[in-house]
Amino acid sequence: MTPRHNPEVWPVVHDERLALLRDLENLSAKQWETQSLCPGWDVHDVLAHLTDSAKTTRWGFIRRMVLAGFDFDKDNAVGIATQRCVDPAQTLAGFRDVLGRTSTPPAAPATRLVEAFVHGEDIRRPLGMRGDYPASPVAKALAYQLRTSVKMGGGKERAAGYTLVATDTTFGHGAGQEVHGKAIALLLAVSGRPVAPDELTGPGAEAFVERTRG
């Protein structure tokens, strides 16, 4: 089954896009400038990136990477510049236009879940918001990140030596000191995002959080 037609992924992604749209509809101009959890990107940038990603096709991605010299950061910067408008309301309107799209780069279906959940929190957490994420799909995104190296955008190395246990769904991974937390907190941590100390517990939690911040 191709990522474009995966019935387990796209309904969740579409729901997450709509939820994010609703959360951002009443932001002030100052809030749009808030630094996100992505270094160097503000909230406005992350939304533009999500719009760009939603429009990216498999062949379009390959073409763009060639033009960018296979530099992911350069390609992302071009995509943000293309989709970010001077007025954030127009950028939000562009995001609204892609809510139901199933375009995707040539990547595993789970990457669409990773993007929706992690970038959703990249935006929400600095704004003092929290998303209400479905635990089972979040666990699927987490499992993907744990199979994928850091250099490819995953978190395999960050989790090495720990047993990660989700407290809100059936999920366990690894060997070593246990770290317990909601699936979304574990996903953020292995994806290199900061989490609050009280979000993760267990004998390995403190050292794990320190590692993921490095």
Side-chain angles (χ1 to χ4, degrees):
M1 183 176 297
T2 66
R4 182 178 176 86
H5 298 100
N6 194 297
E8 296 180 357
V9 169
W10 289 114
V12 177
V13 171
H14 295 159
D15 286 348
E16 290 306 316
R17 288 174 181 167
L18 180 59
L20 183 61
L21 175 75
R22 289 172 174 167
D23 281 347
L24 301 181
E25 285 177 327
N26 296 311
L27 290 192
S28 68
K30 191 66 176 177
Q31 285 177 305
W32 281 106
E33 299 174 359
T34 302
Q35 172 61 47
S36 76
L37 297 186
C38 293
W41 290 5
D42 62 18
V43 165
H44 196 175
D45 290 329
V46 179
L47 185 69
H49 170 72
L50 285 170
T51 304
D52 178 61
S53 181
K55 290 183 173 183
T56 301
T57 64
R58 296 171 69 84
W59 288 111
F61 175 81
I62 294 171
R63 173 180 169 276
R64 283 176 45 164
M65 287 304 297
V66 170
L67 291 174
F70 296 94
D71 184 327
F72 284 98
D73 291 337
K74 182 177 180 180
D75 178 64
N76 282 335
V78 170
I80 289 172
T82 301
Q83 301 302 326
R84 177 174 168 143
C85 303
V86 174
D87 183 353
Q90 292 181 329
T91 306
L92 193 64
F95 183 64
R96 184 182 292 108
D97 289 341
V98 302
L99 291 183
R101 290 192 64 147
T102 57
S103 303
T104 177
T111 61
R112 303 304 88 201
L113 296 174
V114 172
E115 181 172 77
F117 298 137
V118 174
H119 283 323
E121 288 294 89
D122 284 340
I123 289 174
R124 288 186 174 104
R125 290 194 171 215
L127 292 172
M129 302 175 178
R130 286 293 187 272
D132 182 18
Y133 304 103
S136 181
V138 173
K140 290 180 181 179
L142 173 59
Y144 176 82
Q145 290 295 79
L146 291 169
R147 296 192 302 268
T148 307
S149 69
V150 171
K151 68 179 181 179
M152 294 301 295
K156 181 178 180 179
E157 295 85 350
R158 296 187 182 102
Y162 295 96
T163 299
L164 306 186
V165 181
T167 57
D168 54 347
T169 189
T170 302
F171 181 87
H173 173 90
Q177 288 190 315
E178 291 193 358
V179 180
H180 298 252
K182 289 186 176 181
I184 189 65
L186 295 171
L187 174 62
L188 290 176
V190 301
S191 300
R193 271 41 173 203
V195 296
D198 61 355
E199 290 187 85
L200 300 177
T201 60
E206 184 176 353
F208 177 69
V209 169
E210 285 300 315
R211 175 189 286 183
T212 59
R213 286 176 176 171

